[in-house]
């Protein structure tokens, strides 16, 4: 049998009733392996794009409203003939017609609130097949959904660059985000399972977020301006490495090993990331308070990354249950935000208290 990966969404009705753990238990009992998962909140525009194939159907509006009514959990599942195996496990769309032992029969409430979504079995390897281009749109959509944090990092890292360097900062930053997704797609399944890796990554992201609160003086000197540009790019790359560990999971599942599909979908996302980062940069220039809000958000993400490390989350779930583990995850995210604001604020004050552009002899009081 062929080892495949497939994409799954645990829907808002299931997350609201805290049955994610029960669904995961059924998935694992069936022989499928949960490679990775992430809890996200979908916007209306993103949901309409994702379900565009149903736009002309009478239930489209109700479906969109339902999917944005609460958080969802996106997953990558792996196993023998995973696409069809998971569709069999989900059961019929209408829980009343689903076979006993399926997720929808055991846990879903109605045809409208049927708890799970899974990819179909259409081939995505043929560029002449409609399913290929539908999957491209799905990758663009998922990348939009998950690239908000990348856009914030790019905007904050580039905000102090000279005006002429900002454009290249945006382009290189967005390109780095997409390149890292391509690199991580093949190995993310193994990386996500390594204990303590996300702890280390989360600490790195705390450092990056705090550093983004420290202003850089824009210098129009060409050599110094180029140096500032590459310093900003290094910050973006470090943050993207951490965030791509989570962000790539759904993209990898949709691509199902098709490099062409993955490349087209991710490259098509670059203008979206650039536009988002440019818009955020304008807001940072006009409303400096958003700099602090952006840093706090990155701290929140860092705390969440550390709390969802397999070693940490697995231990707490086993000892105290999944619900408590989710509460710990929320608390860790809040603590990460507060830590970044505290450390970054102190770092910023120390930086601003230092004299800039003063020769060493003068700063020391020499003649």
């Amino acid at each position: 049998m062929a080892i495949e990966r497939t994409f799954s969404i645990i829907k808002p009705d299931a997350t609201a009733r805290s049955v994610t753990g029960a669904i995961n238990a059924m998935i694992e009992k069936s022989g499928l392996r949960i490679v990775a998962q992430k809890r996200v909140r979908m916007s209306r525009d993103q949901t309409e794009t994702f379900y565009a194939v149903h736009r002309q159907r009478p239930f489209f509006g109700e479906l969109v409203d339902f999917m944005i009514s609460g958080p969802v959990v996106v997953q990558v599942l792996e196993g023998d003939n995973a696409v069809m195996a998971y569709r069999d496990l989900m059961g019929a769309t209408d829980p009343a017609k689903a076979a006993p032992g399926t997720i929808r029969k055991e846990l879903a409430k109605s045809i409208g609130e049927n708890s799970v979504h899974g990819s179909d079995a259409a081939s995505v390897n043929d560029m002449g097949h409609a399913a290929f281009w539908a999957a491209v749109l799905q990758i663009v959509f998922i990348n939009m959904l998950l690239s908000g944090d990348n856009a914030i990092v790019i905007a904050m890292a580039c905000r102090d660059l000279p005006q002429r360097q900002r454009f290249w900062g945006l382009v290189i930053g967005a390109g780095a985000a997409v390149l890292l997704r391509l690199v991580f797609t093949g190995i993310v399944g193994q990386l996500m399972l390594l204990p303590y890796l996300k702890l280390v990554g989360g600490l790195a992201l705390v450092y990056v977020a705090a550093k983004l609160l420290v202003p850089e003086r824009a210098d129009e000197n060409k050599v110094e301006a180029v140096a500032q540009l590459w310093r900003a790019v290094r910050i973006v790359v470090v943050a993207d490495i951490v965030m791509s560990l989570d962000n790539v999971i759904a993209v990898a599942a949709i691509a199902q090993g098709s490099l062409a599909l993955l490349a087209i979908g991710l490259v098509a996302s670059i203008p979206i990331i650039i536009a988002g980062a440019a818009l955020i940069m304008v807001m940072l220039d006009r409303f400096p308070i958003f700099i602090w809000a952006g840093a706090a958000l990155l701290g929140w993400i860092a705390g969440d990354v550390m709390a969802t490390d397999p070693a940490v989350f697995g231990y707490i779930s086993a000892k105290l249950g999944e619900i408590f583990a989710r509460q710990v995850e929320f608390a860790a995210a809040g603590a990460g935000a507060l830590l970044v604001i505290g450390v970054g604020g102190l770092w910023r004050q120390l930086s601003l208290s230092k004299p800039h552009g003063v020769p060493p002899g003068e700063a020391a009081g020499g003649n």
Side-chain angles (χ1 to χ4, degrees), residues 248-327:
V248 78
I249 58 174
V251 171
I254 295 172
Q256 295 182 23
S258 172
L259 183 60
L261 172 59
L262 184 68
I264 293 172
L266 291 180
V267 169
S269 305
I270 292 179
I272 298 170
I273 299 175
I274 292 175
L279 178 60
I280 293 170
M281 197 180 301
V282 170
M283 293 179 65
L284 296 179
D285 285 340
R286 296 190 61 182
F287 307 103
I289 188 64
F290 284 122
I291 296 173
W292 293 87
L297 176 59
L298 294 176
W300 180 281
I301 294 168
D304 182 82
V305 165
M306 288 187 282
T308 54
D309 182 273
V312 175
F313 191 83
Y315 178 82
I316 296 175
S317 297
K319 294 292 184 180
L320 301 169
E322 183 184 350
I323 294 177
F324 186 80
R326 291 297 177 192
Q327 292 172 341

Side-chain angles (χ1 to χ4, degrees), residues 10-11 13-30 34 37 39 73 75 89 103 107 115-116 313 317-318 321-326:
I10 298 178
K11 297 181 178 180
D13 66 292
T15 60
R17 291 181 286 120
S18 298
V19 296
T20 301
I23 292 172
N24 285 348
M26 294 181 71
I27 290 171
E28 291 174 340
K29 187 177 179 180
S30 74
I34 301 171
Q37 64 181 10
R39 189 181 179 95
V73 177
Q75 300 177 306
L89 178 63
I103 293 173
L107 299 172
S115 297
V116 286
F313 191 83
S317 297
E322 183 184 350
I323 294 177
F324 186 80
R326 291 297 177 192

Side-chain angles (χ1 to χ4, degrees), residues 202-217:
L203 290 172
L205 190 54
V206 167
Y207 167 82
V208 167
K211 184 170 176 51
L212 288 173
L213 285 174
V214 182
E216 294 271 0
R217 290 208 168 194

Side-chain angles (χ1 to χ4, degrees), residues 92-117:
T93 302
D94 184 351
K97 299 177 181 178
T102 60
I103 293 173
R104 287 170 175 162
K105 185 66 173 181
E106 303 299 328
L107 299 172
K109 297 172 63 178
S110 66
I111 192 171
E113 298 183 1
N114 57 12
S115 297
V116 286
H117 163 92

